[in-house]
Amino acid sequence: QVQLVESGGGVVQPGRSLRLSCAASGFIFSNSAMHWVRQAPGKGLEWVALISYDGTNKYYADSVKGRLTIFRDNFKDTLYLQMTSLRAEDTAVYYCARDHGRGPPFEWGRSNYWGQGTLVTVSS
Amino acid sequence: DIQMTQSPSSLSASVRDRVTITCQASQDISTYLNWYQQKPGKAPKLLIYDASNLEPGVPSRVSGSGSGTDFNFTISSLQPDDIATYYCQQYDILPLTFGGGTKVEIK
């Protein structure tokens, strides 16, 4: 069955860096676009980034552009989120999610599998 | 960015009641709309895609409708297992955007 397992969360000081990982199994990882979505404590869902099936195309929310980088290793079936210059407002549970398609310009748009999330706390 | 406005932000209903949540987009998104359910401490779960298509395994008491800017999500007969927060999400134009969520409780 499809499994997505995030790791790498923790407590980090403002301005520092962190890398999240999402290990995928149970499907052909290299055929699927992938997303990162976050949720601040007690708040709603916020889309963070999308990467196409082959890693060629990447898209970001304005709030993270230039600080967070999505990338993937299709040989290791793993998705990553490199987080730099972290701010207090980046504190959230970060979910990776599989898109049903390959990503733009191909068919894409719904996330039918999600990981359990990993908590990132940015605090001094 | 496309703004997604959900209402109500919370509701309380009795078991077997019909419950409807609305989602309004700030511009025409055709039917590029998903609905997710999120239970406390859990990841979101896709229920409806393309505004009205039921994800496999989702109970038939759940339905979605609408196109353009106005969308509805309905539970025809509320069950205790439906207690959750529901989110709409548009995927017509990046960045993807979610509605603010609707928390559904049992009266």
Side-chain angles (χ1 to χ4, degrees), chain A residues 6-41:
Chain A
E6 300 97 336
S7 60
V11 180
V12 60
Q13 293 179 327
R16 302 298 290 265
S17 299
L18 201 63
R19 178 182 291 185
L20 307 183
S21 300
C22 170
S25 61
F27 67 101
I28 301 173
F29 181 70
S30 58
N31 282 352
S32 294
M34 298 292 296
H35 302 261
W36 285 101
V37 176
R38 68 185 181 184
Q39 186 168 37

Short mmCIF file of all heavy atoms in Angstrom, two decimals, chain A residues 6-41:
data_model
loop_
_atom_site.label_atom_id
_atom_site.label_comp_id
_atom_site.label_asym_id
_atom_site.label_seq_id
_atom_site.Cartn_x
_atom_site.Cartn_y
_atom_site.Cartn_z
N GLU A 6 7.32 11.09 6.68
CA GLU A 6 8.15 12.29 6.83
C GLU A 6 9.08 12.15 8.02
O GLU A 6 8.77 11.45 9.00
CB GLU A 6 7.29 13.54 7.04
CG GLU A 6 6.33 13.87 5.92
CD GLU A 6 4.93 13.36 6.19
OE1 GLU A 6 4.80 12.39 6.98
OE2 GLU A 6 3.98 13.89 5.63
N SER A 7 10.21 12.83 7.93
CA SER A 7 11.15 12.88 9.04
C SER A 7 11.96 14.17 8.93
O SER A 7 11.90 14.86 7.90
CB SER A 7 12.08 11.67 9.03
OG SER A 7 12.82 11.63 7.82
N GLY A 8 12.69 14.48 10.00
CA GLY A 8 13.57 15.64 9.96
C GLY A 8 13.09 16.84 10.74
O GLY A 8 13.81 17.83 10.88
N GLY A 9 11.86 16.79 11.23
CA GLY A 9 11.35 17.91 12.01
C GLY A 9 12.04 18.05 13.35
O GLY A 9 12.78 17.16 13.78
N GLY A 10 11.81 19.17 14.00
CA GLY A 10 12.40 19.41 15.31
C GLY A 10 12.35 20.87 15.66
O GLY A 10 11.68 21.67 14.99
N VAL A 11 13.07 21.22 16.72
CA VAL A 11 13.14 22.61 17.17
C VAL A 11 14.41 23.23 16.59
O VAL A 11 15.50 22.66 16.70
CB VAL A 11 13.16 22.69 18.70
CG1 VAL A 11 13.23 24.15 19.14
CG2 VAL A 11 11.92 22.01 19.29
N VAL A 12 14.24 24.40 15.99
CA VAL A 12 15.39 25.08 15.36
C VAL A 12 15.28 26.57 15.65
O VAL A 12 14.18 27.12 15.78
CB VAL A 12 15.40 24.79 13.85
CG1 VAL A 12 14.15 25.27 13.17
CG2 VAL A 12 16.66 25.35 13.19
N GLN A 13 16.42 27.22 15.77
CA GLN A 13 16.43 28.66 16.06
C GLN A 13 16.13 29.47 14.81
O GLN A 13 16.42 29.02 13.68
CB GLN A 13 17.80 29.06 16.61
CG GLN A 13 18.11 28.49 17.98
CD GLN A 13 19.49 28.90 18.46
OE1 GLN A 13 20.42 29.05 17.66
NE2 GLN A 13 19.64 29.07 19.77
N PRO A 14 15.55 30.64 14.97
CA PRO A 14 15.31 31.51 13.81
C PRO A 14 16.60 31.77 13.05
O PRO A 14 17.67 31.94 13.65
CB PRO A 14 14.78 32.80 14.46
CG PRO A 14 14.18 32.36 15.75
CD PRO A 14 15.04 31.23 16.23
N GLY A 15 16.48 31.75 11.72
CA GLY A 15 17.63 31.98 10.87
C GLY A 15 18.41 30.74 10.50
O GLY A 15 19.23 30.78 9.58
N ARG A 16 18.13 29.64 11.21
CA ARG A 16 18.87 28.41 10.93
C ARG A 16 18.18 27.61 9.83
O ARG A 16 17.15 28.02 9.28
CB ARG A 16 18.98 27.57 12.22
CG ARG A 16 19.65 28.30 13.37
CD ARG A 16 21.08 28.68 13.04
NE ARG A 16 21.98 27.54 12.97
CZ ARG A 16 22.73 27.11 13.98
NH1 ARG A 16 22.65 27.70 15.16
NH2 ARG A 16 23.54 26.09 13.81
N SER A 17 18.78 26.45 9.52
CA SER A 17 18.29 25.60 8.43
C SER A 17 17.85 24.24 8.93
O SER A 17 18.26 23.80 10.01
CB SER A 17 19.39 25.43 7.37
OG SER A 17 19.76 26.67 6.83
N LEU A 18 17.04 23.59 8.11
CA LEU A 18 16.55 22.25 8.43
C LEU A 18 16.19 21.58 7.12
O LEU A 18 15.73 22.24 6.18
CB LEU A 18 15.33 22.35 9.34
CG LEU A 18 14.92 21.15 10.20
CD1 LEU A 18 16.01 20.83 11.21
CD2 LEU A 18 13.60 21.45 10.91
N ARG A 19 16.35 20.27 7.06
CA ARG A 19 15.95 19.52 5.87
C ARG A 19 14.95 18.45 6.26
O ARG A 19 15.24 17.62 7.13
CB ARG A 19 17.14 18.88 5.16
CG ARG A 19 16.72 18.07 3.94
CD ARG A 19 17.91 17.39 3.27
NE ARG A 19 18.79 18.36 2.63
CZ ARG A 19 19.84 18.02 1.91
NH1 ARG A 19 20.16 16.74 1.74
NH2 ARG A 19 20.60 18.94 1.36
N LEU A 20 13.80 18.48 5.63
CA LEU A 20 12.80 17.45 5.83
C LEU A 20 12.90 16.41 4.73
O LEU A 20 13.26 16.74 3.59
CB LEU A 20 11.39 18.06 5.81
CG LEU A 20 11.12 19.22 6.76
CD1 LEU A 20 9.66 19.65 6.67
CD2 LEU A 20 11.50 18.88 8.18
N SER A 21 12.58 15.18 5.06
CA SER A 21 12.55 14.09 4.10
C SER A 21 11.18 13.42 4.11
O SER A 21 10.48 13.46 5.13
CB SER A 21 13.62 13.03 4.44
OG SER A 21 14.90 13.58 4.43
N CYS A 22 10.84 12.82 3.00
CA CYS A 22 9.59 12.07 2.89
C CYS A 22 9.90 10.81 2.09
O CYS A 22 10.14 10.88 0.88
CB CYS A 22 8.54 12.92 2.19
SG CYS A 22 7.04 12.03 1.72
N ALA A 23 9.93 9.68 2.78
CA ALA A 23 10.23 8.40 2.14
C ALA A 23 8.95 7.78 1.60
O ALA A 23 7.97 7.63 2.34
CB ALA A 23 10.89 7.46 3.14
N ALA A 24 8.96 7.46 0.32
CA ALA A 24 7.77 6.94 -0.34
C ALA A 24 7.92 5.46 -0.63
O ALA A 24 9.01 4.98 -0.94
CB ALA A 24 7.53 7.71 -1.64
N SER A 25 6.80 4.74 -0.57
CA SER A 25 6.78 3.33 -0.93
C SER A 25 5.37 2.94 -1.35
O SER A 25 4.40 3.66 -1.06
CB SER A 25 7.24 2.47 0.25
OG SER A 25 6.39 2.64 1.37
N GLY A 26 5.27 1.81 -2.05
CA GLY A 26 3.97 1.29 -2.45
C GLY A 26 3.43 1.84 -3.76
O GLY A 26 2.30 1.53 -4.14
N PHE A 27 4.21 2.67 -4.43
CA PHE A 27 3.81 3.19 -5.74
C PHE A 27 5.07 3.58 -6.51
O PHE A 27 6.16 3.63 -5.93
CB PHE A 27 2.85 4.38 -5.60
CG PHE A 27 3.45 5.62 -4.99
CD1 PHE A 27 3.84 6.69 -5.78
CD2 PHE A 27 3.63 5.72 -3.61
CE1 PHE A 27 4.38 7.85 -5.21
CE2 PHE A 27 4.17 6.86 -3.04
CZ PHE A 27 4.55 7.92 -3.84
N ILE A 28 4.90 3.86 -7.79
CA ILE A 28 6.04 4.26 -8.61
C ILE A 28 6.29 5.74 -8.38
O ILE A 28 5.63 6.61 -8.98
CB ILE A 28 5.79 3.94 -10.10
CG1 ILE A 28 5.53 2.44 -10.27
CG2 ILE A 28 6.99 4.37 -10.94
CD1 ILE A 28 5.12 2.03 -11.66
N PHE A 29 7.22 6.02 -7.50
CA PHE A 29 7.48 7.40 -7.05
C PHE A 29 7.80 8.31 -8.24
O PHE A 29 7.33 9.45 -8.29
CB PHE A 29 8.64 7.37 -6.05
CG PHE A 29 9.00 8.71 -5.48
CD1 PHE A 29 8.16 9.36 -4.60
CD2 PHE A 29 10.21 9.32 -5.81
CE1 PHE A 29 8.49 10.60 -4.05
CE2 PHE A 29 10.56 10.55 -5.26
CZ PHE A 29 9.70 11.19 -4.39
N SER A 30 8.56 7.81 -9.18
CA SER A 30 9.02 8.65 -10.29
C SER A 30 7.91 9.01 -11.27
O SER A 30 8.14 9.77 -12.21
CB SER A 30 10.16 7.96 -11.04
OG SER A 30 9.73 6.70 -11.53
N ASN A 31 6.70 8.48 -11.07
CA ASN A 31 5.56 8.82 -11.93
C ASN A 31 4.66 9.90 -11.34
O ASN A 31 3.71 10.34 -11.99
CB ASN A 31 4.68 7.59 -12.18
CG ASN A 31 5.28 6.67 -13.24
OD1 ASN A 31 6.27 7.00 -13.88
ND2 ASN A 31 4.67 5.51 -13.41
N SER A 32 4.94 10.32 -10.11
CA SER A 32 4.03 11.21 -9.40
C SER A 32 4.66 12.55 -9.03
O SER A 32 5.77 12.59 -8.51
CB SER A 32 3.54 10.56 -8.10
OG SER A 32 2.75 9.43 -8.35
N ALA A 33 3.91 13.62 -9.29
CA ALA A 33 4.28 14.90 -8.70
C ALA A 33 4.06 14.81 -7.19
O ALA A 33 3.27 14.00 -6.71
CB ALA A 33 3.42 16.02 -9.30
N MET A 34 4.77 15.66 -6.47
CA MET A 34 4.69 15.64 -5.01
C MET A 34 4.56 17.05 -4.46
O MET A 34 5.06 18.01 -5.05
CB MET A 34 5.95 14.98 -4.41
CG MET A 34 6.16 13.54 -4.79
SD MET A 34 4.95 12.41 -4.10
CE MET A 34 5.25 12.58 -2.34
N HIS A 35 3.87 17.16 -3.33
CA HIS A 35 3.64 18.44 -2.67
C HIS A 35 4.18 18.42 -1.25
O HIS A 35 4.24 17.37 -0.60
CB HIS A 35 2.13 18.72 -2.55
CG HIS A 35 1.38 18.74 -3.83
ND1 HIS A 35 1.06 19.92 -4.48
CD2 HIS A 35 0.86 17.75 -4.57
CE1 HIS A 35 0.35 19.65 -5.56
NE2 HIS A 35 0.21 18.33 -5.64
N TRP A 36 4.48 19.61 -0.76
CA TRP A 36 4.58 19.86 0.67
C TRP A 36 3.45 20.82 1.05
O TRP A 36 3.23 21.82 0.36
CB TRP A 36 5.92 20.48 1.05
CG TRP A 36 7.07 19.53 1.02
CD1 TRP A 36 8.02 19.40 0.04
CD2 TRP A 36 7.42 18.56 2.02
NE1 TRP A 36 8.91 18.41 0.36
CE2 TRP A 36 8.57 17.89 1.58
CE3 TRP A 36 6.88 18.19 3.27
CZ2 TRP A 36 9.19 16.87 2.32
CZ3 TRP A 36 7.48 17.20 4.01
CH2 TRP A 36 8.63 16.54 3.54
N VAL A 37 2.75 20.48 2.12
CA VAL A 37 1.67 21.29 2.65
C VAL A 37 1.92 21.42 4.15
O VAL A 37 2.31 20.45 4.80
CB VAL A 37 0.29 20.63 2.40
CG1 VAL A 37 -0.83 21.44 3.06
CG2 VAL A 37 0.03 20.48 0.91
N ARG A 38 1.69 22.60 4.70
CA ARG A 38 1.95 22.77 6.13
C ARG A 38 0.71 23.28 6.86
O ARG A 38 -0.22 23.82 6.25
CB ARG A 38 3.12 23.71 6.37
CG ARG A 38 2.89 25.16 5.99
CD ARG A 38 4.19 25.97 6.17
NE ARG A 38 4.00 27.38 5.84
CZ ARG A 38 4.98 28.27 5.85
NH1 ARG A 38 6.23 27.91 6.17
NH2 ARG A 38 4.74 29.53 5.55
N GLN A 39 0.75 23.12 8.18
CA GLN A 39 -0.37 23.54 9.02
C GLN A 39 0.19 24.06 10.33
O GLN A 39 0.71 23.30 11.15
CB GLN A 39 -1.31 22.37 9.27
CG GLN A 39 -2.59 22.72 10.01
CD GLN A 39 -3.59 21.58 9.97
OE1 GLN A 39 -3.23 20.41 10.03
NE2 GLN A 39 -4.86 21.92 9.86
N ALA A 40 0.09 25.36 10.51
CA ALA A 40 0.52 25.97 11.77
C ALA A 40 -0.40 25.51 12.90
O ALA A 40 -1.56 25.14 12.64
CB ALA A 40 0.49 27.50 11.65
N PRO A 41 0.09 25.48 14.13
CA PRO A 41 -0.72 24.98 15.25
C PRO A 41 -2.08 25.67 15.34
O PRO A 41 -2.16 26.90 15.40
CB PRO A 41 0.15 25.31 16.47
CG PRO A 41 1.55 25.32 15.95
CD PRO A 41 1.45 25.88 14.55
#
